[in-house]
């Protein structure tokens, strides 16, 4: 029997130890299974254009989703925590320190906020008595009211996702990552200046995290396909404002 040189044994031990280490997002190359897409849904092997197309299709086909994070639009930052599905949505929105709730059932949008929100909704001191009547109530938002156009998009799954899940500029892949314990592939627009999107490599290729280009907010997506109920608020909790709402 030929003896194994002691140095070879040391080298073999060192290689085994090195292969036990894992780099965040991907295994070290050259260590047994060096394919970061092994056991995944395979989208990591696609072009960035194909990945973006697949994730948009998956998102559109999902019955429901939860969306949380920030969106910056027209210089104003909104912090969202919304649950959305095809026929409605519900959740909270915070802007300029004020938090209000939105509820949409079909075409009917409701807005629920405290008296201070309504008293200063138009940027000035309003009618405190009128604001008190709206305090903590689900206020029906007329479809022709500017507030309906402004806020209904936050409750519309297709409108919101269509507007968000498009990266701008030249697309590229930017490695393997992990979001909440789920392996992802990241794609970017213009090296990140046009946004970055993490797409699940497990199960359906749902989007899990979006960083919008130009610092326009960061959003996380979860609870894909998990249904929830949207029900009309009780009559005692509802106010029909009957005219154009104060500008918020």
């Amino acid at each position: 029997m030929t003896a194994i040189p002691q140095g070879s044994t040391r080298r073999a031990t060192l290689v085994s130890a090195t292969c036990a280490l894992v780099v965040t997002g991907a295994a070290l190359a050259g260590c047994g299974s060096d394919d970061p897409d092994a056991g995944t849904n395979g989208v990591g092997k696609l072009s960035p254009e194909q990945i973006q197309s697949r994730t948009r299709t998956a998102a559109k086909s999902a019955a429901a989703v939860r969306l949380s994070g920030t969106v910056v639009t027209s210089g104003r930052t909104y912090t969202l925590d919304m649950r959305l599905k095809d026929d409605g949505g519900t959740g909270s929105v915070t802007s300029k320190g004020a938090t209000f709730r939105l509820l949409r059932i079909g075409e009917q949008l409701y807005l629920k906020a405290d008296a201070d929100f309504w008293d200063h909704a138009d940027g000035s001191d309003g009618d405190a008595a009128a604001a008190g009547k709206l305090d903590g109530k689900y206020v029906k938002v007329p479809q022709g009211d500017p507030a309906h156009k402004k806020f209904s998009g936050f409750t519309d799954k297709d409108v919101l996702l269509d507007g968000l899940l498009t990266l701008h500029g030249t697309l590229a892949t930017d490695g393997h990552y992990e979001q909440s314990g789920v392996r992802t592939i990241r794609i970017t627009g213009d090296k990140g200046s046009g946004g970055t999107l993490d797409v699940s490599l497990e199960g359906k290729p749902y989007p899990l995290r979006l960083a919008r280009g130009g610092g326009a907010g960061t959003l996380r997506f979860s609870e894909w396909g998990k249904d929830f109920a949207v029900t009309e608020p009780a009559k005692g909790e509802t106010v029909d404002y009957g005219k154009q709402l104060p500008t918020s």
Side-chain angles (χ1 to χ4, degrees):
M1 179 182 295
T2 303
I4 299 175
Q6 189 174 7
S8 297
T9 302
R10 290 198 186 97
R11 284 195 296 274
T13 301
L14 179 59
V15 170
S16 296
T18 301
C19 287
L21 298 176
V22 176
V23 176
T24 301
L28 287 172
C31 297
S33 179
D34 58 355
D35 182 2
D37 294 302
T40 70
N41 56 24
V43 297
K45 296 180 180 293
L46 302 178
S47 70
E49 292 80 9
Q50 290 174 313
I51 296 172
Q52 178 171 254
S53 177
R54 292 283 184 89
T55 195
R56 288 174 65 89
T57 298
K60 189 174 182 64
S61 65
V65 64
R66 184 172 185 174
L67 182 154
S68 59
T70 58
V71 172
V72 180
T73 179
S74 301
R76 189 167 178 176
T77 300
Y78 296 92
T79 300
L80 312 178
D81 187 1
M82 301 294 301
R83 299 186 69 187
L84 311 171
K85 60 181 183 177
D86 291 338
D87 61 348
T90 183
S92 65
V93 179
T94 301
S95 181
K96 293 186 177 180
T99 298
F100 53 94
R101 295 194 62 82
L102 294 173
L103 170 65
R104 183 178 63 83
I105 303 172
E107 294 298 320
Q108 183 59 63
L109 178 68
Y110 297 87
L111 194 157
K112 181 179 180 181
D114 60 18
D116 189 61
F117 173 90
W118 293 112
D119 196 26
H120 299 88
D122 60 358
S124 63
D125 290 333
D127 185 335
K133 294 179 181 179
L134 304 180
D135 181 25
K137 301 291 187 180
Y138 282 98
V139 179
K140 284 188 174 182
V141 181
Q143 289 190 31
D145 190 279
H148 193 283
K149 181 179 180 180
K150 184 175 183 178
F151 294 129
S152 63
F154 288 144
T155 67
D156 191 312
K157 171 179 168 285
D158 289 340
V159 169
L160 197 57
L161 294 181
D162 283 346
L164 292 173
L165 297 180
T166 299
L167 302 179
H168 302 285
T170 303
L171 299 183
T173 53
D174 187 35
H176 293 71
Y177 294 82
E178 184 178 290
Q179 297 295 332
S180 301
V182 178
R183 289 177 292 171
T184 66
I185 183 72
R186 180 172 296 175
I187 57 176
T188 66
D190 277 349
K191 298 181 179 180
S193 63
T196 68
L197 182 66
D198 279 38
V199 177
S200 176
L201 288 173
E202 302 177 19
K204 292 187 178 181
Y206 291 128
L208 297 184
R209 180 182 181 275
L210 170 72
R212 301 180 71 203
T218 300
L219 293 163
R220 295 183 182 276
F221 307 88
S222 61
E223 300 182 25
W224 286 103
K226 185 176 181 180
D227 197 15
F228 61 95
V230 285
T231 57
E232 294 278 355
K235 289 186 177 181
E237 299 177 351
T238 306
V239 173
D240 190 343
Y241 199 77
K243 60 180 181 179
Q244 182 172 309
L245 301 182
T247 304
S248 53

